[in-house]
Amino acid sequence: MSDDVIRIFDTTLRDGEQSPGCSMTLEEKLEVAHALTELGVDIIEAGFPIASPGDFESVRQIARQFGDRTTICGLARCRPEDIDRAWEALKEAENKRIHVFLATSAIHRQFKLKMATEEIVRRTAEMVGRAKEYCDDIEFSPEDASRTELDFLCEVVETAIKAGATTVNIPDTVGYATPNHYFHVISTLKKQVPNIDQAVISTHCHNDLGLAVANSLSAVEAGARQIECTINGLGERAGNAALEEVVMALKTRSDYYKVGTGIKTQKLVPTSKLVSTVTGMRIQRNKAVVGQNAFAHESGIHQHGMLQERSTYEIMRPEDVGFLGTNLVLGKHSGRHAFRDRLATLGFELEDDTFQQVWDDFITLADKKKEVYDADIQALVEQRSHHIPETWTLSRLHTSAGTGSIPTATLELKHEDGRVVQDAATGDGPIDAIFVAMERVVGLEVRLEDFEVGSVSSGKDALGEVKVTITDGERSFHGKAISTDVIEAAAQAYLQALNKSLHARKEVSPKA
Ligand code: KIV
Ligand code: ZN
């Protein structure tokens, strides 16, 4: 690859999924992997195969389904069993990478590994060598590199490259580095490691001090040519460098960095929304690039400037990152053709049956709501295009509540085997009553961790959007639904999360 290209290594499905409450089901991981492939990332780190049978299976399926369009990577500690397991999961991919890591800092050597420096160097050589017997594309990470003595870091990196590493990743594991410090680390490696030209230098920055993106860009200036990052900056603790931010910084300031990426930036917002939906991690309104306010201009002076010339206050165009206008589009009398055209303009190509479902939803919505906006259409498409298990569906719902009355919900759920079950419950409010009745019908007792109500577009008749997160034992599940009636949206979102939980319980342990 030429020197002006930065490889984007996405670790949303590994480091991102490791953050509390962000676990994804197999189907959700496949959906995210599909979106990342469409986005144009160069490498997808799909998981840590030895961590659990579920992780193994998701890496294997992602490798099978997307390994011909992008490189699929699996993580392994410096242990033979990890490397062998990673290979088993990855082997069907056309393009695959094994990512081997071992901590190198004094603090990790002393307290975590209880290993001397000689042992670290020996293990690195042996395990990178073992991985190399399986495949050519090997990444090595000296964990906690930014807190490692520089001479020792150089020695380990040189050893890894000699043993066959084609990418050397320099993690700022605890988010301790600052831009100048990190620049110095990467520059020192470039100067002092004799075989450094035989490998790509990579960055992997955590955001504990809010510097992950700045540090990644600093590493690029020092010569790094791969950036590890995640959608929406998900990841351990304060997260990793946000993909959308590093990519747009490099694009917007290409005059300065003089490098580019292969990312299709118009897909940033839809990918960010998808990841937010499946992980339940909300995008803060003023989040750079993909936040709802990222292109909103409030002050009169700014609005005036914008009306005269956009570039007075806008360094990126919203459409370049995939934001849609909020223009009024269609109403109840719009025909199928106009609707299909609008979908195409918004970038959606739907299979015939999905189109039919979205069209039916649109007609129902247009009956209730005078003005249907692009954001409403996008929400309708999102709702229908995720694969969500539907063991139970809601066929009837009635709630009653009010001052001086006991909040009650009566509902009917239909099982996929044809059974129809009715139940009624009381609760602290009508929504609580629905949740009590639903849990009883589906036979689960879960914890409600998060409940959020918002609106998709503007106006009194806007579509309400409800997101819920539940935990069933150790695992968390998310549900999201839209409706002009927020009580119904809450019921559908909760049922979706319960269905995911039931589905996860049913998933048999995958065989290797
Ligand atoms: O933060 C870190 O050091 C990691 C490594 C496994 C690369 O995630
Ligand atoms: Zn990390």
Side-chain angles (χ1 to χ4, degrees), residues 57-184:
E57 189 56 19
S58 54
V59 177
R60 182 160 75 163
Q61 298 228 18
I62 291 169
R64 255 187 211 159
Q65 293 187 31
F66 305 102
D68 56 340
R69 293 181 58 198
T70 182
T71 297
I72 310 299
C73 176
L75 185 67
R77 288 167 299 185
C78 255
R79 297 181 183 191
E81 62 275 24
D82 280 40
I83 292 167
D84 298 350
R85 192 82 174 137
W87 172 251
E88 274 306 307
L90 291 167
K91 65 183 181 194
E92 289 178 51
E94 208 171 298
N95 307 297
K96 50 218 162 231
R97 171 180 296 188
I98 302 177
H99 179 187
V100 183
F101 76 101
L102 181 60
T104 48
S105 64
I107 201 158
H108 278 238
R109 293 192 315 258
Q110 187 185 347
F111 296 106
K112 186 177 88 173
L113 300 173
K114 303 189 191 336
M115 272 186 202
T117 49
E118 298 74 20
E119 171 70 352
I120 303 269
V121 173
R122 195 178 56 74
R123 270 285 184 109
T124 301
E126 270 178 28
M127 294 301 120
V128 171
R130 186 182 186 101
K132 193 74 179 178
E133 284 171 20
Y134 286 127
C135 92
D136 280 342
D137 189 347
I138 303 298
E139 173 166 327
F140 175 74
S141 288
E143 191 189 2
D144 205 15
S146 56
R147 291 196 299 172
T148 301
E149 307 89 312
L150 270 177
D151 285 345
F152 181 53
L153 183 64
C154 288
E155 184 185 350
V156 176
V157 166
E158 182 182 348
T159 304
I161 297 173
K162 210 179 281 170
T166 42
T167 300
V168 282
N169 182 41
I170 309 303
D172 179 27
T173 303
V174 290
Y176 175 74
T178 57
N180 281 348
H181 164 205
Y182 201 51
F183 182 93
H184 178 63

Side-chain angles (χ1 to χ4, degrees), residues 11 14-15 18 171-173 204-206 228 236 240:
T11 183
R14 201 277 298 167
D15 212 321
Q18 266 168 242
D172 179 27
T173 303
H204 178 108
C205 297
H206 280 269
E228 300 200 356
E236 286 276 13
N240 289 67

